[in-house]
Amino acid sequence: MTDADITTATADWHAWQESWDRQQEWYLPDREERFRIMLDMVEALVGTAPRVLDLACGTGSITARLLARFADATSTGVDLDPALLAIAEGTFAGDERVRLVTADLKNPDWPTKLPYDSYDAVLTATALHWLHREPLADLYGRVAGLVRAGGVFMNADHMIDETTPRINAAERAQRHARMDQAKRDGILDWAEWWQLAAKDPVLAEPTARRYEIYGEHADGDMPSARWHARALREKGFGEARPVWCSPSDTLLLAVK
């Protein structure tokens, strides 16, 4: 899709979803693989008709794949980003299986805004690395309170093992070389995608509000998978371990 295609399709939510996916895949070429494994584990542990909380849902990438695979699933998407939620609302308009909630995950009372007190699965991907360790551990405690006994939580995100600096440096150099080549081939990066959103008649206003909330994109901490597993067990999960990983990212699964 070209820049012109996106800017002229002012209310084409499918086009915006596709452009978001392509931009994310620039950073995460194995993005679909982590989604597939995530849903495999949902099916294995809680079945094919789960009640799911899509945590920091963005445009609803997880929800879209969940419903495509499990027709009887339901999803609550929660996020604070007005622009990404606008795309999610447009995408899932009229689908009674989806509820969308605006809430700040750093606010302790965000679970009170949800339509349900418990969920079979809470799923999130490439979203929580903007939190530092202490607020992330606090969030894990609130998530533990929402997952039913036997239910699951999965987080697919950047999880850096600081004990392997040479491996980390080599992986990062190779990944960024490939990203640079894709950029030369015309892929949109994060900043360019948001510049297009800011020019769109429908998304311009929510994009402006988004920048009032977040400012420029900033990362929090990226602790190791071991840290995440330990924090989840300390906050009430019975088991926690990676079920998939790439050289830079991990899908960590916790069972209540």
Side-chain angles (χ1 to χ4, degrees):
M1 176 178 294
T2 67
D3 294 1
D5 291 331
I6 296 172
T7 54
T8 56
T10 56
D12 186 341
W13 301 118
H14 177 73
W16 279 107
Q17 284 282 3
E18 285 291 316
S19 68
W20 177 259
D21 283 343
R22 300 295 81 75
Q23 177 258 125
Q24 288 288 287
E25 286 169 358
W26 181 59
Y27 299 94
L28 306 163
D30 45 24
R31 186 168 177 255
E32 292 302 326
E33 177 70 5
R34 74 190 64 195
F35 287 147
R36 184 184 68 79
I37 299 297
M38 179 181 281
L39 296 182
D40 282 350
M41 293 296 97
V42 167
E43 182 174 359
L45 286 157
V46 298
T48 60
R51 176 189 292 170
V52 170
L53 176 61
D54 186 349
L55 193 69
C57 66
T59 66
S61 296
I62 290 175
T63 293
R65 288 154 180 80
L66 173 80
L67 300 180
R69 177 159 169 175
F70 306 126
D72 294 327
T74 58
S75 180
T76 302
V78 58
D79 208 302
L80 187 60
D81 190 312
L84 298 185
L85 281 173
I87 295 173
E89 288 164 359
T91 299
F92 300 109
D95 192 332
E96 296 182 354
R97 298 171 297 175
V98 180
R99 301 277 292 276
L100 295 170
V101 175
T102 300
D104 185 350
L105 297 181
K106 291 184 288 187
N107 189 325
D109 72 352
W110 68 266
T112 65
K113 298 186 177 183
L114 302 176
Y116 304 107
D117 294 329
S118 69
Y119 289 84
D120 301 308
V122 178
L123 309 177
T124 189
T126 326
L128 301 186
H129 57 269
W130 49 269
L131 289 173
H132 292 284
R133 282 171 171 80
E134 185 174 346
L136 180 56
D138 289 342
L139 177 65
Y140 281 169
R142 295 185 185 94
V143 168
L146 290 167
V147 176
R148 66 162 173 82
V152 301
F153 168 70
M154 278 181 268
N155 179 14
D157 212 339
H158 313 308
M159 299 184 188
I160 306 302
D161 188 338
E162 295 177 354
T163 68
T164 58
R166 288 181 296 171
I167 296 172
N168 298 347
E171 180 280 325
R172 186 179 188 278
Q174 183 183 58
R175 175 163 42 90
H176 279 263
R178 290 174 175 171
M179 290 169 67
D180 290 345
Q181 181 58 56
K183 190 76 164 57
R184 289 191 291 270
D185 292 340
I187 195 74
L188 293 176
D189 65 16
W190 172 271
E192 291 167 332
W193 191 91
W194 282 108
Q195 289 167 8
L196 289 178
K199 297 175 184 176
D200 183 86
V202 176
L203 289 177
E205 190 274 334
T207 297
R209 285 192 285 120
R210 182 225 183 254
Y211 276 96
E212 290 175 1
I213 295 168
Y214 293 109
E216 295 297 327
H217 182 68
D219 286 327
D221 294 335
M222 298 184 198
S224 68
R226 288 187 295 275
W227 181 93
H228 286 272
R230 182 174 66 253
L232 286 162
R233 288 192 293 267
E234 289 173 353
K235 293 299 182 178
F237 287 90
E239 300 177 12
R241 72 165 177 87
V243 291
W244 173 91
C245 70
S246 72
S248 62
D249 285 28
T250 298
L251 172 58
L252 198 135
L253 165 64
V255 180
K256 185 74 175 289

